[in-house]
Amino acid sequence: MSTLALPWIQDEPSLADVNLSNDAYAKLVEDLLKVATDAADKLVVGGNESPREVAMEALNVYVLAMMLGAAGAVGTGTATGAVIGGVATAWTGPGLVLGAAVGGGIGLMVGMIPVLIIGMAYIDAIDRVNTKYPPTAQTASLLRLAPQAGKSESFAVHLLTLLIPGDLAVIADRWDAAPNLPGAVRSFLARHRFLQPSLQRLMRLIRTQKASDNAFSIRPISQFGATRNIVYRQQPGQNWLEWMGLTTLKLRADDAKLTMTLPRALTEVGAPARLRTDLPNFNIRVGGDGGAIPYVQFGLKPSAFDMTLGETRLLTTGRDRGKVRLSFRIAKGATLGSASGSFKWGPGNGALTFASPKLTEALSVEVFLKPEGGLLAFDHVEVGDLRLSLETPDLIKNLPGIGGLIDQIVQGIVGFFKNLFTTAISWASQFQQLAGYSVKALEAALAETARACGVLALSGLQQLQSAGNSLQVLVQATTLRLPEIKDTVMRLALLEYRLVRRSLWGARG
């Protein structure tokens, strides 16, 4: 999956202006720890929950509220803003439109420093909670032989795994010595070396799936997931038609067969390497009965031409708006098959030598697909102006009574190929076979971006639609079932988030 380029937040200071003091970061961690310990000290009633679980629960809610506030502050047009924005929608309403995938660790460092700082402070606070309230059997499930972490602790691990991309690990390990760092990112890391242990702890949590080295194994994600239908929309920088294998199809006619060669994106999900369909031969007789009026018999076996795929695009205007157009082209000068001929005129008859018909202008064949249910189904085909030459030897052209029939043969060939490309080739059958594999390829590609878009898993593509200038799909997804956040907690968390930004950018934060 290609890395997305992340736009800067409008009016945001450059990365060179981002400076967080060690003291300010330590205070953030202390504030988060206080939220956790206050809850543990005051809210544990009757021993139903351990202090560790209560502390983790309070920390989860408070940090989530801060992150939702961060998403609201930066909008949903950039990396983690879109991720948290998606989570926020899952929390507040019945529908969810997923935003752009995170563009990778470096992109996150550039575009979403405040959210990353919150994430690192989160893991540091968890580390302090672990020291103050060590894991015990009381926090494990009593219904299982193997002890498990409590629900809130498990949720914290799942949430961080969901929101923080694992490719930050290279930065956690090598910091400003990591390869391919932009200068501004390298400088930022050099100024904030004290954050490296925090990022390393965060990456270790994601790698080990434990809140701490001595913690119990977390509960399975199935206990926290909510299955729902969501709309997943194509984002700038993504090409779903490429993911569906519709931009690199190859077509070649040879030996009266049309062979469609499928790209790797489709063969990887089980498609055959090639699809073949038979092409009809063409025969025509023009003239009289061969007595007083001669006739010419002409035959053609379609072969030896390529249909090169040019642009594949979703149409956003015109009568075919919302459909996908695949533009194939047969090059000028291409021969369309092997020809043969004969004539009869009274007592005379014999074979005629014909050159294969050759295009005098390039020919366009445009195949239109339309979203239908969960597939892109064949809609119709349009064939451009077909101009060709039979390139008949002058000797034949100049034969009295025979040369005049050549034009009729050419007209017949033009009509044959028009019919071939519009009707005789079973485009509907070809693309019906292709459609299922295209959907599987799209599902596989979207599944790779699921966690980066705030979703635990994607499955069951149900409906494919065009929406403006892009595609979108209705899919079944598993999302985190988020805790309730009270208004008072949200207001306090927003204040904390503003303090984080102020500590980064001073008065402008």
Side-chain angles (χ1 to χ4, degrees):
M1 205 63 56
S2 60
T3 295
L4 301 182
L6 301 178
W8 265 96
I9 304 166
Q10 187 175 6
D11 298 326
E12 198 68 280
S14 71
L15 195 62
D17 296 328
V18 177
N19 288 286
L20 177 68
S21 71
N22 198 335
D23 290 343
Y25 179 76
K27 183 179 184 304
L28 173 60
V29 175
E30 286 293 338
D31 289 347
L32 292 180
L33 181 63
K34 188 174 187 305
V35 168
T37 55
D38 281 354
D41 292 342
K42 298 173 182 176
L43 298 181
V44 177
V45 179
N48 293 328
E49 289 184 301
S50 70
R52 179 186 177 89
E53 263 296 282
V54 175
M56 289 284 190
E57 182 179 3
L59 188 59
N60 290 345
V61 172
Y62 197 78
V63 168
L64 183 58
M66 285 183 69
M67 287 187 168
L68 295 178
V74 302
T76 58
T78 58
T80 305
V83 175
I84 308 296
V87 175
T89 311
W91 166 58
T92 58
L96 174 58
V97 177
L98 295 183
V102 170
I106 292 175
L108 183 63
M109 292 295 290
V110 173
M112 290 304 303
I113 289 297
V115 172
L116 186 58
I117 296 298
I118 295 170
M120 287 191 288
Y122 187 16
I123 186 60
D124 284 343
I126 288 175
D127 192 56
R128 300 278 293 277
V129 167
N130 182 71
T131 300
K132 187 174 179 61
Y133 309 109
T136 67
Q138 290 179 338
T139 64
S141 169
L142 299 178
L143 301 178
R144 299 176 182 272
L145 294 177
Q148 288 182 304
K151 288 185 177 179
S152 296
E153 181 177 342
S154 300
F155 176 88
V157 176
H158 288 306
L159 179 65
L160 283 168
T161 303
L162 175 66
L163 297 181
I164 305 298
D167 55 4
L168 280 172
V170 66
I171 296 178
D173 291 340
R174 302 184 61 181
W175 207 241
D176 57 336
N180 303 318
L181 289 177
V185 174
R186 195 179 304 279
S187 177
F188 166 82
L189 294 174
R191 295 194 309 273
H192 296 83
R193 195 171 301 278
F194 68 88
L195 291 174
Q196 185 177 8
S198 302
L199 187 58
Q200 289 174 336
R201 274 191 287 274
L202 189 53
M203 292 298 102
R204 187 163 59 249
L205 175 144
I206 292 172
R207 185 179 67 253
T208 64
Q209 291 292 280
K210 287 186 175 183
S212 60
D213 292 340
N214 64 335
F216 292 110
S217 298
I218 59 172
R219 300 180 183 214
I221 195 66
S222 58
Q223 294 189 18
F224 303 92
T227 301
R228 59 191 306 178
N229 291 334
I230 65 170
V231 175
Y232 194 127
R233 186 166 296 156
Q234 180 178 319
Q235 296 297 314
Q238 296 177 345
N239 187 345
W240 285 13
L241 297 176
E242 178 183 353
W243 295 356
M244 297 176 79
L246 297 176
T247 60
T248 52
L249 297 173
K250 296 179 181 179
L251 286 173
R252 179 171 176 79
D254 205 7
D255 195 26
K257 291 185 183 296
L258 184 67
T259 300
M260 180 185 292
T261 302
L262 306 187
R264 183 177 177 181
L266 299 183
T267 59
E268 285 183 341
V269 293
R274 295 173 182 83
L275 297 175
R276 288 189 173 93
T277 186
D278 292 330
L279 298 178
N281 293 334
F282 171 65
N283 289 282
I284 187 173
R285 195 175 92 168
V286 295
D289 60 4
I293 302 175
Y295 72 74
V296 173
Q297 184 83 27
F298 176 85
L300 179 71
K301 185 177 184 179
S303 63
F305 62 86
D306 292 300
M307 298 178 65
T308 304
L309 180 58
E311 182 184 50
T312 299
R313 61 174 297 198
L314 175 69
L315 301 177
T316 58
T317 59
R319 63 186 177 89
D320 290 310
R321 179 181 179 182
K323 298 175 184 177
V324 171
R325 183 183 66 197
L326 288 73
S327 296
F328 292 96
R329 177 185 174 92
I330 306 175
K332 176 182 177 179
T335 57
L336 299 181
S338 55
S340 61
S342 62
F343 76 95
K344 187 175 188 306
W345 190 2
N349 61 79
L352 290 175
T353 300
F354 287 102
S356 296
K358 181 180 292 186
L359 290 177
T360 58
E361 298 291 340
L363 175 65
S364 66
V365 179
E366 296 184 335
V367 178
F368 294 79
L369 310 177
K370 62 181 178 181
E372 190 173 272
L375 304 172
L376 276 177
F378 173 75
D379 185 66
H380 72 284
V381 63
E382 295 180 5
V383 180
D385 192 17
L386 198 158
R387 298 179 183 273
L388 57 82
S389 168
L390 201 53
E391 298 189 349
T392 312
D394 289 341
L395 179 63
I396 297 177
K397 289 182 182 178
N398 295 331
L399 282 174
I402 292 180
L405 301 177
I406 301 301
D407 287 344
Q408 295 181 46
I409 293 175
V410 170
Q411 291 172 12
I413 296 172
V414 169
F416 166 74
F417 277 102
K418 281 277 191 180
N419 180 71
L420 177 75
F421 291 125
T422 55
T423 305
I425 294 177
S426 182
W427 295 109
S429 175
Q430 291 275 311
F431 283 94
Q432 182 179 13
Q433 294 180 70
L434 196 65
Y437 296 116
S438 290
V439 167
K440 288 183 180 179
L442 179 60
E443 287 179 343
L446 295 181
E448 290 185 24
T449 69
R451 281 187 172 262
C453 288
V455 169
L456 301 172
L458 291 174
S459 63
L461 192 154
Q462 298 176 28
Q463 190 170 6
L464 183 67
Q465 304 168 329
S466 60
N469 60 355
S470 65
L471 292 171
Q472 65 181 33
V473 290
L474 181 67
V475 296
Q476 257 193 0
T478 304
T479 59
L480 272 184
R481 192 181 298 112
L482 302 181
E484 178 184 357
I485 302 177
K486 298 183 182 301
D487 289 343
T488 52
V489 173
M490 179 64 82
R491 284 197 295 270
L492 290 172
L494 286 175
L495 176 61
E496 192 73 54
Y497 170 68
R498 293 189 185 100
L499 293 175
V500 171
R501 288 178 59 82
R502 184 173 294 275
S503 68
L504 289 172
W505 291 303
R508 293 190 61 179

